[in-house]
Amino acid sequence: MGIDASPFFVLYARRRYGAAMTSQHQNTPSRDQIRRAPKVLLHDHLDGGLRPGTIVELARDTGYAHLPETDPDKLGVWFREAADSGSLERYLETFSHTVGVMQTREALVRVAAECAEDLAEDGVVYAEVRYAPEQHLEGGLGLEEVVEAVNEGFRQGERRAGENGHRIRVGALLTAMRHAARALEIAELANRYRDLGVVGFDIAGAEAGYPPTRHLDAFEYLKRENNHFTIHAGEAFGLPSIWQALQWCGADRLGHGVRIIDDIQVLDDGSVKLGRLASYVRDKRIPLELCPSSNLQTGAADSYTDHPIGLLRRLHFRATVNTDNRLMSGTSMSREFDHLVEAFGYTLEDLQWFSVNAMKSAFIPFDERLAMINDVIKPGYAELKSEWLFKQTASTSGSAESED
Ligand SMILES: O=c1[nH]cnc2c1ncn2[C@@H]1O[C@H](CO)[C@@H](O)[C@H]1O
Ligand SMILES: [Zn+2]
């Protein structure tokens, strides 16, 4: 099975990128370099990324009385531990508390603004952040008011980040919950707010028992409108879910899609055989929104070194790295990269490859994606890759000074 192939890949990666280094920039990037590297995030849930302190304050302000902890540090730990159950269904239960405090316009604006700020602070230059408008109506808001509040928050956050020297652009993805029956309505909402801050559509929630084909009407509508959508598929459930998402629903990208590994066979001699579906995904350059830490918590992978991303990157799938839920996983884009660098010996070249892959797969227009790649991402990595040159100069001039 493909997952067993990862140790082989580690060896391959170390040999290829570790021992056989040809220049300094192929060294392991430092944590600080990873944080400063321009990163692109396609799969991040707004209701999975709140600051614990904000949850506590919003609960107090909005009268939400069900928090398991009221100390922010303890609450952060509670989310990580509660989400660490090995089951997607139990992982998803933790969202009742974040969604619980996101029922007013003020709360939504604040959470969205802080999300943009936190991502920018972490070096993310472009993000598509998703949430399910239908889950934020309990306080009396309408669907459009929810979308407008979140958009307002993203714009505020982008402005504040810019004032602090961090440029970021955030687009919203509207999610419909797969167990519910509002997908068409949410798809129409996504279409109405197209070019007004919403860049696409998604479905999420428990996968087993809720195939994406339940929502075919929504996907067909979006296709007729030439709009974009991704589908959570191949996370808790395997190949049939990925197959349906692509061949019945017509998804542009796969949310997770990690189980495509079940259609990849690694033979004893190290050669690899792709099944028909895996070949299709690779040949058509279907973007995989991979979320390593989240997969460890829901049981989709056992460790970073065993995570299929190693093999998928080696086989040149259109792999991207994502956070999924920063609060539940206690993570960030930089931390995801830190883990992958440690597990697979990735260099700045690899991190750039993931970032360019993600930017190519974004739902904004082609010319904007290209400009992001050429004017922001590549120059950012080029600067990091050239740092060793200037370190050398500094140490030379340092020793000259000491001789004076
Ligand atoms: O990894 C995931 N798989 C499936 N559904 C998820 C995942 N993370 C979050 N959500 C669901 O998406 C909703 C909207 O953001 C969240 O409320 C949560 O129920
Ligand atoms: Zn997700």
Side-chain angles (χ1 to χ4, degrees), residues 43 45 232 256 324:
H43 190 131
H45 293 257
H232 275 75
H256 294 280
D324 207 12

Side-chain angles (χ1 to χ4, degrees), residues 71-84:
D71 171 76
D73 291 336
K74 287 188 185 150
L75 185 62
V77 173
W78 181 88
F79 272 104
R80 288 197 294 282
E81 289 179 350
D84 210 6

Side-chain angles (χ1 to χ4, degrees), residues 5 11 50 58 92 95 112 114 118 128 148 153 178 196 201 207 214 224 274 279 282 294 344 371 381 392 402:
L11 277 180
L50 287 77
L58 289 178
L92 293 178
F95 285 79
E114 291 179 354
D118 291 351
E128 290 179 1
E148 286 169 24
R178 59 202 309 156
L196 295 170
F201 174 81
E207 194 172 359
R214 290 184 78 226
R224 283 198 303 274
L274 268 59
S279 285
R282 187 170 71 161
S294 167
F344 300 110
Y381 281 91
Q392 194 113 356
S402 64

Side-chain angles (χ1 to χ4, degrees), residues 43 130 202 229-234 241-246 251-258 260 277 281 286-291 320 322 363:
H43 190 131
R130 62 190 75 196
D202 162 56
F229 57 94
T230 175
I231 295 181
H232 275 75
S241 174
I242 295 179
W243 177 72
Q244 282 198 7
L246 295 177
D252 297 286
R253 307 195 306 232
L254 292 170
H256 294 280
V258 62
I260 196 64
L277 183 60
V281 168
I286 307 286
L288 303 174
E289 303 165 358
L290 300 169
C291 310
T320 70
N322 300 274
F363 286 159

